[in-house]
Amino acid sequence: MARIIVVTSGKGGVGKTTSSAAISTGLAQRGYKTAVVDFDVGLRNLDLIMGVERRVVYDFVNVINDEAKLGQALIRDKRVENLYVLPASQTRDKDALTQEGVGKVLGQFAEDGFDYVICDSPAGIERGAQLAMYFADEAIVVSNPEVSSVRDSDRMLGILSSKSRRAEQDDEPIREHLLITRYQPERVDLGEMLSVEDVLEILSVPLLGVIPESEAVLQASNAGVPVIMESGSDAGQAYDDAVARLLGEERELRFVDARKKGFFSRLLGK
Amino acid sequence: MSLFDYFRSSRKSSASVAKERLKIIVAHERGRRGGPDYLPQMEEELLAVVRKYTRVGDDAVRVNLEKDQGFDVMEVNITLPERDED
Ligand SMILES: Nc1ncnc2c1ncn2[C@@H]1O[C@H](COP(=O)(O)OP(=O)(O)O)[C@@H](O)[C@H]1O
Ligand SMILES: [Mg+2]
């Protein structure tokens, strides 16, 4: 059975795609057969972050419409074994994704022996976002330490617990994780930014990880390399910790304390 | 107490203001989650009624739903304007 994990947030630009790319890569690096699926119909971007944009032939909607087989549309990563990308369609047709179609494709991943399917959700609470989370077994709610992002995260938690398949069928609820990204310990110390504890107190969802605001993320996206592959970088290491926790390992939080960050490491974004 | 700490404690930090505001709005939104879809509309109409008699702000009427065993309790809070103490 493929485990389906949605990366969601409500608010846009908080780091869902960055996180989907990093976490799927981390799972594949550990030997799990993993696919990462772009649900952002019309705004395909995961392909760029994964560095496979020039190899897109077919997309998610082609597979739903039986215009291509899943195996034809999936792009196999050349750097990491076991890692596959399913790009979003560029169509403007917002109804291109249907619940039936998404369910069919997700079922195919299971048949093809995938261990994990990571669903990179679009922003908002409309159809695309709802379909990305509908079939999920687990949800990673990405939140920035900032008022509108935290509020939106709470809204998404509400939707996860009421409008998902598991909720509708009275199944065991979706396993929820909180991933705080773009964290700046220096600003938390200055009282300018919500702390990890503040966000946890408001949302009360188990913490999967804290990803610091990092120069390395922009550089990795420029190069089309998931930041987790930059294993010397702070953000890469923080994502690696998050993947380990997702798999049940215990890892201490890092990069949450301003004082431990040296002048040089700050310069290097490491 | 260092000078730094002094400046920090002399004014409420913006993060703590953010946290308080978030706590309130999140509690409010959770209170109506899973509730009937007519709640926002009802809130608006109640506000209109209150405004026939007194001047209140846009968020003066708050409807919350408390789930109890067997039955739900609808709680309507109406915040009246501050009294002029003269
Ligand atoms: N930890 C981080 N540090 C610095 N920049 C980040 C970090 N996470 C994301 N970003 C940047 O924020 C922007 C939005 O990220 P993205 O992953 O596309 O968000 P979303 O998918 O939620 O819209 C991108 O420019 C990305 O490089
Ligand atoms: Mg995105």
Side-chain angles (χ1 to χ4, degrees):
Chain A
M1 268 300 271
R3 199 137 176 94
I4 297 168
I5 305 180
V6 62
V7 178
T8 186
S9 71
K11 193 172 180 340
V14 297
K16 289 179 293 298
T17 300
T18 304
S19 301
S20 299
I23 290 168
S24 55
T25 303
L27 288 167
Q29 283 174 331
R30 284 167 170 78
Y32 295 101
K33 190 171 178 186
T34 305
V36 57
V37 182
D38 192 346
F39 274 76
D40 209 341
V41 170
L43 289 171
R44 175 197 292 166
N45 266 324
L46 179 68
D47 56 338
L48 269 177
I49 301 304
M50 296 294 295
V52 300
E53 71 279 5
R54 292 178 49 175
R55 297 167 59 208
V56 176
V57 182
Y58 295 111
D59 60 50
F60 195 3
V61 171
N62 292 139
V63 182
I64 288 179
N65 294 341
D66 289 320
E67 292 151 5
K69 295 220 173 68
L70 179 59
Q72 291 175 296
L74 279 177
I75 305 169
R76 195 173 63 82
D77 194 282
K78 286 183 175 163
R79 302 157 298 205
V80 181
E81 223 182 310
N82 300 314
L83 181 59
Y84 297 81
V85 182
L86 182 58
S89 162
Q90 299 277 46
T91 174
R92 294 210 187 146
D93 177 11
K94 287 283 165 205
D95 298 329
L97 292 186
T98 59
Q99 193 171 93
E100 195 196 346
V102 171
K104 182 185 77 177
V105 176
L106 291 178
Q108 240 162 313
F109 279 111
E111 277 172 33
D112 291 354
F114 277 85
D115 297 305
Y116 288 99
V117 181
I118 308 299
C119 304
D120 179 18
S121 175
I125 52 174
E126 305 301 314
R127 190 187 186 87
Q130 293 216 9
L131 285 174
M133 57 117 242
Y134 186 77
F135 295 96
D137 301 305
E138 303 192 33
I140 297 172
V141 177
V142 180
S143 202
N144 293 165
E146 170 268 318
V147 283
S148 50
S149 173
V150 173
R151 179 202 207 171
D152 282 2
S153 294
D154 194 65
R155 288 186 183 144
M156 285 320 297
L157 290 167
I159 295 176
L160 286 167
S161 61
S162 63
K163 296 197 171 141
S164 61
R165 182 182 56 93
R166 280 173 177 269
E168 285 179 5
Q169 298 181 356
D170 248 332
D171 240 346
E172 200 182 307
I174 292 177
R175 186 165 161 228
E176 298 163 344
H177 311 270
L178 177 65
L179 184 65
I180 299 175
T181 62
R182 312 202 69 162
Y183 195 66
Q184 295 176 264
E186 305 82 9
R187 302 191 67 185
V188 172
D189 273 10
L190 289 170
E192 295 173 0
M193 183 178 264
L194 292 166
S195 68
V196 174
E197 293 76 23
D198 291 340
V199 179
L200 279 174
E201 191 184 323
I202 292 159
L203 295 177
S204 42
V205 173
L207 186 65
L208 185 68
V210 179
I211 314 298
E213 173 78 20
S214 168
E215 186 57 37
V217 173
L218 179 63
Q219 284 177 17
S221 76
N222 284 342
V225 175
V227 72
I228 198 169
M229 293 180 73
E230 303 292 352
S231 54
S233 70
D234 51 0
Q237 291 173 13
Y239 274 117
D240 190 69
D241 288 347
V243 172
R245 291 189 199 103
L246 189 65
L247 295 169
E249 273 176 56
E250 280 198 27
R251 290 270 177 107
E252 242 182 90
L253 276 185
R254 294 191 273 177
F255 317 111
V256 290
D257 195 343
R259 274 145 301 186
K260 281 193 188 144
K261 214 174 170 194
F263 174 69
F264 271 111
S265 52
R266 212 171 300 172
L267 263 186
L268 296 169
K270 291 192 172 173
Chain B
M1 192 161 88
S2 74
L3 199 60
F4 176 70
D5 285 335
Y6 171 76
F7 278 117
R8 208 160 69 160
S9 57
S10 63
R11 195 161 42 100
K12 217 174 171 197
S13 79
S14 68
S16 61
V17 174
K19 183 181 175 187
E20 286 317 307
R21 291 175 58 219
L22 267 170
K23 272 187 171 168
I24 292 165
I25 189 67
V26 163
H28 173 69
E29 287 174 349
R30 280 181 189 169
R32 49 170 55 187
R33 207 168 276 165
D37 293 339
Y38 60 72
L39 279 188
Q41 174 79 31
M42 196 177 96
E43 204 173 72
E44 226 161 85
E45 285 177 30
L46 284 172
L47 181 66
V49 171
V50 173
R51 280 186 168 159
K52 274 179 155 171
Y53 301 94
T54 181
R55 280 176 55 167
V56 291
D58 286 343
D59 52 2
V61 175
R62 288 291 193 212
V63 181
N64 278 310
L65 215 60
E66 294 280 337
K67 292 218 179 289
D68 224 312
Q69 287 132 327
F71 56 91
D72 297 347
V73 177
M74 186 177 288
E75 186 187 74
V76 181
N77 278 299
I78 303 172
T79 314
L80 294 176
E82 274 179 46
R83 262 171 298 154
D84 294 323
E85 306 279 358
D86 48 2

